Amino acid sequence: MGSRPLIWINEPTKVFVARSGIHELTTTILTDDQVRDLVEKMLKSSGRRVDLSSPFVDAMLPDGSRLHVAIPDVTQRHWSVNVRKFVVKASHLDDLVGLGTLTPAVARFLDAAVASGLNILVSGGTQAGKTTLLNCLAAAIPAQERVVTCEEVFELKIALPDWVALQCRQPNLEGTGEIKLRRLVKEALRMRPSRIVVGEVRQEECLDLLIALNSGLPGMCSVHANSAREAVTKMCTLPLLAGENVGHGFVVPTVAGCLDLVVHVATERSGRRAVREVLAIPGRVEGDVVEAADVFVTRAGRLVRADGWPPHVDRFERAGFDLRALLAADEGLG
Protein backbone atom coordinates (compact mmCIF):
# COMPACT_ATOMS: atom_id res chain seq x y z
CA MET A 1 0.00 0.00 0.00
CA GLY A 2 1.14 3.60 -0.30
CA SER A 3 3.74 4.52 2.29
CA ARG A 4 3.43 7.84 4.08
CA PRO A 5 6.59 8.80 5.95
CA LEU A 6 5.52 11.44 8.45
CA ILE A 7 7.44 14.50 9.56
CA TRP A 8 6.04 16.80 12.21
CA ILE A 9 7.25 19.73 14.25
CA ASN A 10 5.76 20.33 17.69
CA GLU A 11 8.23 23.13 18.40
CA PRO A 12 11.53 24.17 16.77
CA THR A 13 13.59 21.85 18.96
CA LYS A 14 11.23 18.88 18.62
CA VAL A 15 11.15 17.53 15.08
CA PHE A 16 9.76 14.01 14.74
CA VAL A 17 9.74 11.49 11.93
CA ALA A 18 7.76 8.28 11.53
CA ARG A 19 8.34 5.39 9.15
CA SER A 20 6.20 2.27 8.96
CA GLY A 21 4.20 3.38 11.98
CA ILE A 22 7.22 3.90 14.26
CA HIS A 23 8.08 7.46 15.25
CA GLU A 24 11.22 8.95 16.75
CA LEU A 25 12.61 12.33 17.80
CA THR A 26 15.26 13.59 15.37
CA THR A 27 18.41 15.57 16.17
CA THR A 28 17.24 18.48 14.00
CA ILE A 29 17.16 21.81 15.83
CA LEU A 30 15.39 24.79 14.26
CA THR A 31 14.37 28.30 15.29
CA ASP A 32 10.89 29.83 15.21
CA ASP A 33 11.90 31.96 12.22
CA GLN A 34 13.20 28.92 10.35
CA VAL A 35 9.94 27.07 10.90
CA ARG A 36 7.91 30.03 9.62
CA ASP A 37 10.18 30.45 6.59
CA LEU A 38 9.89 26.74 5.85
CA VAL A 39 6.10 26.88 5.95
CA GLU A 40 5.96 29.97 3.73
CA LYS A 41 8.15 28.27 1.13
CA MET A 42 6.01 25.15 1.17
CA LEU A 43 2.78 27.13 0.85
CA LYS A 44 4.06 29.36 -1.96
CA SER A 45 3.11 26.94 -4.74
CA SER A 46 -0.24 25.96 -3.21
CA GLY A 47 -1.90 29.37 -3.32
CA ARG A 48 -3.00 28.91 0.29
CA ARG A 49 -2.09 30.90 3.37
CA VAL A 50 -1.92 30.72 7.15
CA ASP A 51 -2.30 33.79 9.39
CA LEU A 52 -4.18 35.04 12.44
CA SER A 53 -7.45 35.21 10.52
CA SER A 54 -6.95 31.67 9.21
CA PRO A 55 -4.77 29.82 11.76
CA PHE A 56 -5.08 26.42 10.04
CA VAL A 57 -4.04 25.43 6.55
CA ASP A 58 -4.23 22.15 4.67
CA ALA A 59 -2.37 22.00 1.36
CA MET A 60 -0.87 19.68 -1.22
CA LEU A 61 2.80 20.22 -2.06
CA PRO A 62 4.22 19.84 -5.59
CA ASP A 63 5.65 16.40 -4.82
CA GLY A 64 2.26 15.13 -3.61
CA SER A 65 3.00 15.53 0.10
CA ARG A 66 0.17 16.70 2.36
CA LEU A 67 0.90 19.70 4.58
CA HIS A 68 -1.07 20.79 7.65
CA VAL A 69 -0.12 23.78 9.78
CA ALA A 70 -1.64 25.30 12.92
CA ILE A 71 -0.34 28.50 14.51
CA PRO A 72 -0.82 30.39 17.81
CA ASP A 73 -3.10 31.28 19.44
CA VAL A 74 -4.80 28.07 18.34
CA THR A 75 -1.62 26.28 19.37
CA GLN A 76 -0.16 27.15 22.74
CA ARG A 77 3.14 28.74 21.73
CA HIS A 78 4.82 27.35 18.61
CA TRP A 79 3.78 26.57 15.05
CA SER A 80 2.63 22.98 14.61
CA VAL A 81 3.65 21.51 11.24
CA ASN A 82 2.74 18.09 9.84
CA VAL A 83 3.95 16.73 6.50
CA ARG A 84 2.80 13.41 5.09
CA LYS A 85 5.00 12.40 2.19
CA PHE A 86 3.09 10.05 -0.09
CA VAL A 87 5.21 7.39 -1.78
CA VAL A 88 3.04 5.35 -4.13
CA LYS A 89 3.56 1.63 -3.78
CA ALA A 90 0.15 0.62 -5.07
CA SER A 91 -2.07 1.94 -7.85
CA HIS A 92 -4.16 -1.18 -8.54
CA LEU A 93 -5.79 -3.83 -6.39
CA ASP A 94 -3.25 -6.40 -7.58
CA ASP A 95 -0.51 -4.20 -6.10
CA LEU A 96 -2.24 -4.41 -2.72
CA VAL A 97 -2.25 -8.20 -3.01
CA GLY A 98 1.52 -8.11 -3.46
CA LEU A 99 1.87 -5.93 -0.37
CA GLY A 100 -0.25 -8.29 1.73
CA THR A 101 -3.05 -5.76 2.20
CA LEU A 102 -5.72 -8.10 0.84
CA THR A 103 -6.03 -11.53 -0.72
CA PRO A 104 -6.37 -12.36 -4.43
CA ALA A 105 -9.95 -13.51 -3.81
CA VAL A 106 -10.92 -10.18 -2.24
CA ALA A 107 -9.11 -8.24 -4.96
CA ARG A 108 -11.00 -10.09 -7.70
CA PHE A 109 -14.31 -9.52 -5.93
CA LEU A 110 -13.71 -5.80 -5.37
CA ASP A 111 -12.50 -5.35 -8.94
CA ALA A 112 -15.75 -6.88 -10.19
CA ALA A 113 -17.84 -4.84 -7.73
CA VAL A 114 -16.36 -1.56 -9.00
CA ALA A 115 -16.73 -2.56 -12.66
CA SER A 116 -20.34 -3.55 -11.94
CA GLY A 117 -21.14 -0.09 -10.57
CA LEU A 118 -21.64 -0.87 -6.88
CA ASN A 119 -21.40 2.00 -4.39
CA ILE A 120 -18.41 1.43 -2.12
CA LEU A 121 -17.48 3.05 1.18
CA VAL A 122 -13.87 2.75 2.42
CA SER A 123 -13.50 3.05 6.19
CA GLY A 124 -10.54 3.12 8.54
CA GLY A 125 -8.65 5.16 11.08
CA THR A 126 -6.07 7.88 10.54
CA GLN A 127 -3.15 6.70 8.39
CA ALA A 128 -4.84 3.36 7.72
CA GLY A 129 -4.46 3.73 3.96
CA LYS A 130 -7.98 4.80 2.99
CA THR A 131 -6.88 7.11 0.17
CA THR A 132 -4.55 4.51 -1.33
CA LEU A 133 -7.28 1.88 -1.23
CA LEU A 134 -9.74 4.33 -2.79
CA ASN A 135 -7.21 5.02 -5.56
CA CYS A 136 -6.77 1.32 -6.22
CA LEU A 137 -10.53 0.75 -6.32
CA ALA A 138 -10.91 3.65 -8.75
CA ALA A 139 -8.39 1.99 -11.05
CA ALA A 140 -11.03 -0.70 -11.68
CA ILE A 141 -13.53 1.84 -13.09
CA PRO A 142 -14.17 1.07 -16.78
CA ALA A 143 -12.11 3.31 -19.08
CA GLN A 144 -15.14 4.67 -20.95
CA GLU A 145 -16.64 6.29 -17.84
CA ARG A 146 -16.44 9.99 -16.93
CA VAL A 147 -15.29 10.40 -13.32
CA VAL A 148 -15.46 13.53 -11.14
CA THR A 149 -13.58 13.56 -7.84
CA CYS A 150 -14.20 15.94 -4.91
CA GLU A 151 -11.59 16.46 -2.16
CA GLU A 152 -10.48 18.94 0.47
CA VAL A 153 -7.06 18.93 -1.21
CA PHE A 154 -5.96 16.99 -4.27
CA GLU A 155 -4.80 13.48 -3.33
CA LEU A 156 -6.62 11.06 -5.60
CA LYS A 157 -4.94 10.12 -8.86
CA ILE A 158 -7.40 8.47 -11.22
CA ALA A 159 -5.75 6.84 -14.25
CA LEU A 160 -8.67 7.43 -16.61
CA PRO A 161 -8.83 9.58 -19.75
CA ASP A 162 -12.08 11.36 -18.74
CA TRP A 163 -11.42 12.56 -15.19
CA VAL A 164 -12.13 15.94 -13.57
CA ALA A 165 -10.64 16.70 -10.13
CA LEU A 166 -12.16 19.32 -7.81
CA GLN A 167 -10.82 20.60 -4.48
CA CYS A 168 -12.05 22.95 -1.77
CA ARG A 169 -10.90 26.56 -1.46
CA GLN A 170 -10.06 28.67 1.56
CA PRO A 171 -11.75 32.05 2.12
CA ASN A 172 -9.76 35.05 0.94
CA LEU A 173 -8.44 37.86 3.14
CA GLU A 174 -11.91 39.44 3.20
CA GLY A 175 -13.40 36.18 4.46
CA THR A 176 -15.25 35.41 1.24
CA GLY A 177 -14.78 33.00 -1.64
CA GLU A 178 -14.67 29.82 0.42
CA ILE A 179 -15.76 26.66 -1.41
CA LYS A 180 -16.66 23.75 0.83
CA LEU A 181 -16.86 20.09 -0.03
CA ARG A 182 -20.65 20.18 -0.03
CA ARG A 183 -20.60 22.73 -2.85
CA LEU A 184 -18.18 20.58 -4.83
CA VAL A 185 -20.47 17.55 -4.60
CA LYS A 186 -23.41 19.61 -5.86
CA GLU A 187 -21.39 21.08 -8.72
CA ALA A 188 -20.00 17.67 -9.66
CA LEU A 189 -23.51 16.46 -10.40
CA ARG A 190 -23.86 19.21 -13.03
CA MET A 191 -20.77 17.94 -14.86
CA ARG A 192 -22.46 14.83 -16.30
CA PRO A 193 -20.34 12.26 -14.43
CA SER A 194 -20.67 8.52 -14.92
CA ARG A 195 -19.30 8.11 -11.42
CA ILE A 196 -18.45 10.37 -8.48
CA VAL A 197 -15.62 9.80 -5.99
CA VAL A 198 -15.43 11.84 -2.77
CA GLY A 199 -12.08 11.67 -0.98
CA GLU A 200 -13.55 11.73 2.51
CA VAL A 201 -16.88 12.73 4.03
CA ARG A 202 -16.69 14.44 7.41
CA GLN A 203 -19.75 16.68 7.68
CA GLU A 204 -23.02 17.60 6.00
CA GLU A 205 -21.66 16.91 2.49
CA CYS A 206 -22.54 13.30 3.29
CA LEU A 207 -26.20 14.22 2.66
CA ASP A 208 -25.49 15.52 -0.85
CA LEU A 209 -23.45 12.43 -1.68
CA LEU A 210 -26.26 10.14 -0.52
CA ILE A 211 -28.77 12.07 -2.61
CA ALA A 212 -26.49 11.69 -5.64
CA LEU A 213 -26.08 7.96 -5.09
CA ASN A 214 -29.82 7.62 -4.50
CA SER A 215 -30.42 9.06 -7.98
CA GLY A 216 -28.63 6.12 -9.57
CA LEU A 217 -25.15 7.64 -9.95
CA PRO A 218 -22.47 5.13 -8.86
CA GLY A 219 -19.85 6.41 -6.46
CA MET A 220 -17.21 5.80 -3.83
CA CYS A 221 -15.94 7.67 -0.79
CA SER A 222 -14.07 7.17 2.47
CA VAL A 223 -14.88 7.89 6.11
CA HIS A 224 -13.06 7.71 9.44
CA ALA A 225 -14.38 4.78 11.50
CA ASN A 226 -13.16 1.94 13.71
CA SER A 227 -15.08 -0.79 11.87
CA ALA A 228 -17.25 -1.28 8.83
CA ARG A 229 -20.44 -1.28 10.89
CA GLU A 230 -19.41 1.89 12.70
CA ALA A 231 -18.85 3.45 9.28
CA VAL A 232 -22.45 2.67 8.32
CA THR A 233 -23.67 4.23 11.57
CA LYS A 234 -21.57 7.33 10.89
CA MET A 235 -23.04 7.65 7.39
CA CYS A 236 -26.46 7.69 9.07
CA THR A 237 -25.36 10.44 11.46
CA LEU A 238 -23.34 12.89 9.35
CA PRO A 239 -26.28 13.97 7.12
CA LEU A 240 -28.10 15.20 10.24
CA LEU A 241 -25.55 18.04 10.39
CA ALA A 242 -27.15 19.49 7.24
CA GLY A 243 -30.09 20.90 9.19
CA GLU A 244 -33.00 20.23 11.53
CA ASN A 245 -35.25 19.31 8.61
CA VAL A 246 -33.11 16.22 7.93
CA GLY A 247 -34.13 13.31 10.16
CA HIS A 248 -33.29 9.66 10.77
CA GLY A 249 -36.52 8.67 9.09
CA PHE A 250 -35.08 9.85 5.79
CA VAL A 251 -31.37 9.19 6.28
CA VAL A 252 -31.37 5.57 7.49
CA PRO A 253 -33.36 4.04 4.61
CA THR A 254 -31.41 6.23 2.17
CA VAL A 255 -28.11 4.85 3.48
CA ALA A 256 -29.51 1.32 3.24
CA GLY A 257 -30.56 1.91 -0.34
CA CYS A 258 -27.41 3.74 -1.45
CA LEU A 259 -24.47 1.88 0.06
CA ASP A 260 -23.62 -1.55 -1.32
CA LEU A 261 -20.24 -2.43 0.20
CA VAL A 262 -18.04 -1.20 3.05
CA VAL A 263 -14.34 -2.08 2.93
CA HIS A 264 -12.56 -1.54 6.24
CA VAL A 265 -8.78 -1.12 6.34
CA ALA A 266 -6.61 -0.88 9.45
CA THR A 267 -2.98 -0.58 10.48
CA GLU A 268 -1.59 -3.60 12.32
CA ARG A 269 0.97 -3.46 15.13
CA SER A 270 3.72 -4.24 12.62
CA GLY A 271 2.80 -1.12 10.65
CA ARG A 272 1.31 -3.09 7.76
CA ARG A 273 -2.01 -1.87 6.37
CA ALA A 274 -4.56 -4.62 5.85
CA VAL A 275 -8.17 -4.94 4.80
CA ARG A 276 -9.93 -6.35 7.86
CA GLU A 277 -13.45 -6.87 6.56
CA VAL A 278 -15.78 -6.39 3.61
CA LEU A 279 -19.38 -5.71 4.58
CA ALA A 280 -22.42 -5.91 2.30
CA ILE A 281 -25.49 -3.69 2.71
CA PRO A 282 -28.50 -5.63 1.35
CA GLY A 283 -30.79 -2.59 1.42
CA ARG A 284 -33.00 -3.47 4.39
CA VAL A 285 -33.66 -1.60 7.64
CA GLU A 286 -34.70 -3.22 10.92
CA GLY A 287 -36.07 -0.54 13.24
CA ASP A 288 -33.54 2.29 12.91
CA VAL A 289 -30.62 -0.03 12.07
CA VAL A 290 -29.26 -0.69 8.58
CA GLU A 291 -28.92 -4.43 8.06
CA ALA A 292 -25.48 -5.69 7.03
CA ALA A 293 -23.86 -8.99 6.08
CA ASP A 294 -20.20 -10.03 6.29
CA VAL A 295 -18.73 -10.96 2.92
CA PHE A 296 -15.11 -11.26 4.09
CA VAL A 297 -13.89 -11.16 7.70
CA THR A 298 -10.61 -11.56 9.55
CA ARG A 299 -10.33 -14.75 11.58
CA ALA A 300 -7.13 -15.82 13.32
CA GLY A 301 -5.22 -13.18 11.38
CA ARG A 302 -6.54 -14.31 7.99
CA LEU A 303 -8.99 -12.54 5.69
CA VAL A 304 -11.49 -15.25 4.77
CA ARG A 305 -14.87 -15.67 3.13
CA ALA A 306 -17.91 -15.25 5.37
CA ASP A 307 -21.49 -16.21 4.50
CA GLY A 308 -22.82 -12.83 3.32
CA TRP A 309 -23.62 -11.88 -0.26
CA PRO A 310 -23.48 -8.45 -1.88
CA PRO A 311 -26.61 -6.82 -3.31
CA HIS A 312 -27.34 -6.34 -7.01
CA VAL A 313 -26.35 -9.74 -8.35
CA ASP A 314 -27.91 -8.63 -11.64
CA ARG A 315 -25.33 -5.85 -12.00
CA PHE A 316 -22.51 -8.38 -11.76
CA GLU A 317 -24.20 -10.50 -14.41
CA ARG A 318 -24.69 -7.56 -16.77
CA ALA A 319 -21.00 -6.67 -16.38
CA GLY A 320 -20.05 -10.23 -17.29
CA PHE A 321 -19.09 -11.58 -13.85
CA ASP A 322 -20.10 -14.86 -12.22
CA LEU A 323 -20.60 -13.74 -8.62
CA ARG A 324 -20.86 -17.26 -7.27
CA ALA A 325 -17.51 -18.17 -8.82
CA LEU A 326 -15.92 -14.95 -7.52
CA LEU A 327 -16.96 -15.77 -3.96
CA ALA A 328 -16.16 -19.48 -4.15
CA ALA A 329 -12.47 -18.97 -3.40
CA ASP A 330 -11.43 -18.84 0.23
CA GLU A 331 -7.87 -17.58 0.34
CA GLY A 332 -6.38 -16.10 3.49
CA LEU A 333 -3.72 -13.73 4.59
CA GLY A 334 -1.02 -15.33 6.66
Side-chain angles (χ1 to χ4, degrees):
M1 187 167 269
S3 174
R4 285 184 181 253
L6 300 179
I7 302 170
W8 66 94
I9 302 172
N10 291 345
E11 58 184 76
T13 59
K14 292 184 178 179
V15 180
F16 292 83
V17 64
R19 300 181 183 90
S20 301
I22 301 173
H23 71 273
E24 60 186 56
L25 178 64
T26 70
T27 56
T28 302
I29 303 295
L30 302 172
T31 65
D32 284 315
D33 288 341
Q34 287 175 323
V35 173
R36 285 193 289 269
D37 290 344
L38 182 63
V39 170
E40 288 177 5
K41 288 179 181 178
M42 288 191 289
L43 286 176
K44 190 173 183 180
S45 63
S46 72
R48 301 196 172 197
R49 72 179 204 285
V50 61
D51 53 37
L52 289 176
S53 65
S54 181
F56 297 104
V57 68
D58 199 14
M60 183 64 65
L61 304 182
D63 67 349
S65 298
R66 181 86 174 261
L67 170 69
H68 184 271
V69 181
I71 67 173
D73 56 357
V74 171
T75 59
Q76 186 174 23
R77 182 177 177 186
H78 301 283
W79 286 34
S80 172
V81 182
N82 293 267
V83 179
R84 290 187 290 167
K85 188 172 179 62
F86 190 47
V87 181
V88 177
K89 292 184 178 179
S91 56
H92 295 79
L93 291 170
D94 287 343
D95 297 332
L96 297 183
V97 174
L99 293 170
T101 301
L102 71 172
T103 67
V106 176
R108 287 192 295 270
F109 167 70
L110 292 177
D111 189 284
V114 173
S116 300
L118 269 64
N119 296 325
I120 300 176
L121 175 66
V122 174
S123 66
T126 302
Q127 298 299 305
K130 298 186 297 298
T131 301
T132 300
L133 179 55
L134 201 58
N135 259 322
C136 293
L137 288 169
I141 297 174
Q144 69 272 19
E145 292 195 16
R146 173 174 170 79
V147 177
V148 179
T149 59
C150 306
E151 306 173 82
E152 289 190 355
V153 295
F154 294 129
E155 285 190 289
L156 295 171
K157 301 184 185 302
I158 311 296
L160 290 173
D162 194 355
W163 166 44
V164 177
L166 306 176
Q167 76 168 356
C168 298
R169 188 173 71 187
Q170 280 186 305
N172 57 27
L173 291 172
E174 289 75 35
T176 62
E178 182 179 16
I179 298 178
K180 295 184 176 181
L181 192 55
R182 188 175 189 186
R183 170 78 180 276
L184 294 184
V185 175
K186 291 178 179 178
E187 295 298 329
L189 300 181
R190 299 186 174 104
M191 301 173 72
R192 299 177 58 252
S194 304
R195 197 174 306 227
I196 185 171
V197 181
V198 178
E200 183 176 345
V201 289
R202 299 172 186 263
Q203 300 181 62
E204 62 271 14
E205 67 272 357
C206 184
L207 174 65
D208 301 278
L209 177 61
L210 290 176
I211 291 173
L213 300 181
N214 196 40
S215 68
L217 176 67
M220 294 185 283
C221 71
S222 73
V223 67
H224 269 85
N226 293 322
S227 70
R229 283 179 169 78
E230 285 190 21
V232 175
T233 300
K234 193 167 186 177
M235 292 295 286
C236 293
T237 304
L238 290 178
L240 303 179
L241 299 174
E244 295 181 0
N245 59 327
V246 181
H248 272 289
F250 166 77
V251 173
V252 173
T254 301
V255 170
C258 291
L259 292 183
D260 298 320
L261 294 174
V262 184
V263 185
H264 185 73
V265 63
T267 304
E268 300 181 342
R269 288 183 178 273
S270 63
R272 185 186 72 169
R273 280 81 174 263
V275 170
R276 304 293 296 171
E277 55 182 323
V278 178
L279 192 70
I281 310 299
R284 297 185 298 271
V285 176
E286 184 67 35
D288 279 337
V289 179
V290 176
E291 289 190 10
D294 294 314
V295 182
F296 291 93
V297 296
T298 298
R299 294 180 183 141
R302 300 170 64 240
L303 188 61
V304 298
R305 174 79 172 99
D307 56 3
W309 286 78
H312 309 302
V313 176
D314 58 316
R315 295 186 190 176
F316 285 92
E317 293 174 351
R318 287 199 300 268
F321 296 101
D322 184 342
L323 183 58
R324 189 170 296 277
L326 281 171
L327 294 177
D330 184 6
E331 301 174 61
L333 273 174

